[in-house]
Amino acid sequence: MTRLLTFIRHFGFFLLLSVACLSFPQKSKAAASGHTISPEIRQLLSALDSLLVNTPDFIREKEARLSRLRADYNKAADIEHRYWAAASLYDEYCAYDSDSAMAYVDRAQRYASILGRQDLVNEMELNRSYIYSATGLLNEANESLRRIDPDSLPPTLALKYCDRMLFLSTHRDQYMGVERDMEMYSKMVDSLLQATARHISPDNPNYCWLTGWSNLNTRENARKAISVVSRIVDSTDYETRGNAMDAWMLSKLYERVGDEENRLKYLVLSAMADVRASNKEIASLEEISAILLKLGDLEHANSYINYCIAYANDYKSRVRIGQLARIQEQTLSAIHERLEHQAAMNRLYLAVLAIFLAVLAGAVFWITRQNRALRNSRATLNDANLELCERVNELQSIREELDVANSKLAEMYESVRADARELSESNETKEEYIANVFSILSGYITRQEDFRSKLLRMLKERKFDDALRTVRSPELSADDIKEFCANFDNVFLRIYPDFVEDFNTLLRPEERIAPRTPGHLTSDLRVYALVRLGVTDSVGIAKFLHCSVQTVYNIRQRTRNKAAVPREEFAARVRALGRPSF
């Protein structure tokens, strides 16, 4: 028996050691090649996360500035003042709302024509080409630039003309998938950059931007430009759109010389400036997502790419949406691979537990047989020789010890079985959840393809009015939202089946909420389902449910008034629902 127990101990130690070795986290490709995220970058990413959480505050500040500028525009007494007010509104809108920016370009250009100022007309045409390029209307942007004679422009507008040509060229490359390595831009753009670099002075707001681009043609020039550009960039507070552009330009220079650490650093600083300035036409956060995806930081990559997609949709940036979709697909694939690896490890744990249970079952069977043999021997010895009574008593003591050990083993067996059942249920839930998510995504893609095909057919048949009515029809989005809510309710209630009952325990008995349809949540319950998932910001909840922020605020206010717990603890108590307490 001692040998058996020794064997069980050694075998259990061997199994645990094997599982520990197999489950030891594998190094990612980035870590294996020496590219890791430094503590400085980690700290900057944490600061960027904090800024993203406070995005609604920055947007409110942006809207307040826009309101003041619109008030100045409405109060303008003459055409010239109206022009400058409209130009200021364009500057504030150009990276925030493409439609509003284009509207004020039209107004400002009309005022400039009335004033007879061809230089101002040309400047607004350059601004128009910027909006066209940023939103992916590349042919229209090219036509705007062709309407301008560059030889007739004053020096300041000549610099802006070069910037707009460069902006169009880079967006066209991105849209067409052109990869540039040794030659960073076309020869025509290069000649413009070299010409403007000789005339631009350090006090020009676009000095860092155009100086950086004009020195990207070779690594040697990029290395020389870094010292000039970094001195200006490091002296800024990273709060304006210009700061964001300059920091992004510095990151491109570092990328050109192969310094990935500083490239990522200034991309993060550029993204922080974009967030503070409430810019929606951004590139830095997109590049950060792609880099973090390669480095294996999937959580940050997924969070940032979702933020970029939301802003690209708001800004209607056709060029960026395609690239962002590719990065999002790669991120989701990487997350899926990691989940598959975790599932494989769970299956390994189950196999090890099954082997251990088999060994325990064999030990229990062997001990049971030994106990039976001992009882028979004791009866025989009692009948045969009373002198062996003392030895029989010792055997009885041994039997009692074995019974205790048997009971403990039985308890261990039941505990292991319970753990195995929980692991199996957890795996089934994960696999079913992944299947549901991908099924929903597939259905959405199919509906979008059907809608696109229908719209294309109408356009080919020149049924433009029907196509316009189809696009403006709110029924499609309403049906999508309804289906999305139904899918959300289904998935959420399968993960948290007791959510409604648990949530009602936080309300007064007379105020408890009962869903009208089994398996579906009410609007109030759906808002707090998102709070349970960690989405506590009313703006984020409103975007998720496609309703107004005021509606979400009213629901939360109304529900807190029904609470049976202190109002200030209500949200925290909701987030704790379904979690184990210790």
Side-chain angles (χ1 to χ4, degrees), residues 67-77 81-82 85:
S67 295
R68 290 193 295 271
L69 289 174
R70 286 194 296 268
D72 293 341
Y73 174 79
N74 293 328
K75 293 176 182 177
H81 284 88
R82 277 189 171 271

Side-chain angles (χ1 to χ4, degrees), residues 119-153:
D119 57 333
L120 299 182
V121 172
N122 289 337
E123 183 173 10
M124 286 302 113
E125 195 65 34
L126 291 173
N127 291 339
R128 184 189 305 278
S129 73
Y130 173 87
I131 299 299
Y132 280 144
S133 298
T135 54
L137 301 175
L138 304 182
N139 290 333
E140 289 81 352
N142 188 51
E143 287 299 321
S144 288
L145 292 174
R146 289 178 60 182
R147 285 194 287 269
I148 298 173
D149 179 12
D151 296 332
S152 65
L153 297 176

Side-chain angles (χ1 to χ4, degrees), residues 21 57 86 146 155 277 282 318 321 336 354 358 384 409 447 461-462 467 482 501 531 537:
C21 292
D57 296 333
R146 289 178 60 182
I282 56 178
R318 300 166 182 81
I321 288 175
H336 179 62
L409 287 173
R447 287 195 302 274
E461 295 174 358
R462 308 185 65 84
K482 183 177 180 181
E501 291 77 7
V531 174
D537 179 45

Side-chain angles (χ1 to χ4, degrees), residues 540-559:
I541 294 172
K543 288 183 177 180
F544 190 93
L545 296 178
H546 300 278
C547 63
S548 68
V549 177
Q550 185 62 43
T551 299
V552 174
Y553 176 80
N554 292 340
I555 289 174
R556 297 182 72 173
Q557 184 71 17
R558 183 175 65 245
T559 307

Side-chain angles (χ1 to χ4, degrees), residues 43-60:
Q43 187 175 4
L44 286 174
L45 289 175
S46 297
L48 176 58
D49 292 339
S50 299
L51 288 177
L52 290 175
V53 171
N54 294 322
T55 297
D57 296 333
F58 297 124
I59 290 178
R60 281 193 291 271

Side-chain angles (χ1 to χ4, degrees), residues 183-197:
E183 182 183 293
M184 298 302 295
Y185 30 72
S186 66
K187 292 182 180 179
M188 185 273 290
V189 174
D190 181 59
S191 64
L192 279 174
L193 284 170
Q194 301 310 318
T196 56

Side-chain angles (χ1 to χ4, degrees), residues 1-6 366-367 370-371 374 398 401-402 405:
M1 180 176 177
T2 302
R3 290 180 179 178
L4 177 63
L5 294 176
T6 302
W366 188 87
I367 291 173
Q370 290 296 315
N371 285 335
L374 286 174
I398 293 173
E401 292 176 0
L402 289 174

Side-chain angles (χ1 to χ4, degrees), residues 484-494 519-522 526:
F484 170 77
C485 290
N487 287 327
F488 173 79
D489 295 349
N490 180 39
V491 172
F492 182 84
L493 290 176
R494 293 180 74 176
H520 292 272
L521 299 173
T522 64
R526 199 171 292 122

